Amino acid sequence: AETHLQRSAEIAAGAYGPDHWLTLSARQQLAGVYDDSGRSDEAVPILEDVVARWLKAEGPESAHTISAQSDLSVTLTSLARYD
């Protein structure tokens, strides 16, 4: 799954740019794979960037933003980072 998601994110970013919903979705899913495989520390910077890009593109009340923030919260919790 990781290889496919990495490639999907690269293709989407090249074709549509880093802020396109397909790119952000693939990156968010990739971060989920990292988190699920015990690599939460690698997932955090990806999710932080995805959240920032969704906030800029759609605002704080967007379903995309809320979903990414939720994923980031779960990942931070798994690292015992409660700040």
Side-chain angles (χ1 to χ4, degrees), residues 21-39:
W21 72 269
L22 283 172
T23 305
L24 296 175
S25 177
R27 292 185 68 223
Q28 186 172 343
Q29 290 177 33
L30 178 61
V33 168
Y34 287 167
D35 188 38
D36 290 345
S37 63
R39 296 162 52 198

Side-chain angles (χ1 to χ4, degrees), residues 56-79:
K56 181 179 175 187
E58 296 188 0
E61 296 179 5
S62 159
H64 292 123
T65 303
I66 293 166
S67 173
Q69 285 178 321
S70 177
D71 287 352
L72 176 58
S73 296
V74 168
T75 300
L76 290 170
T77 299
S78 73
L79 293 169

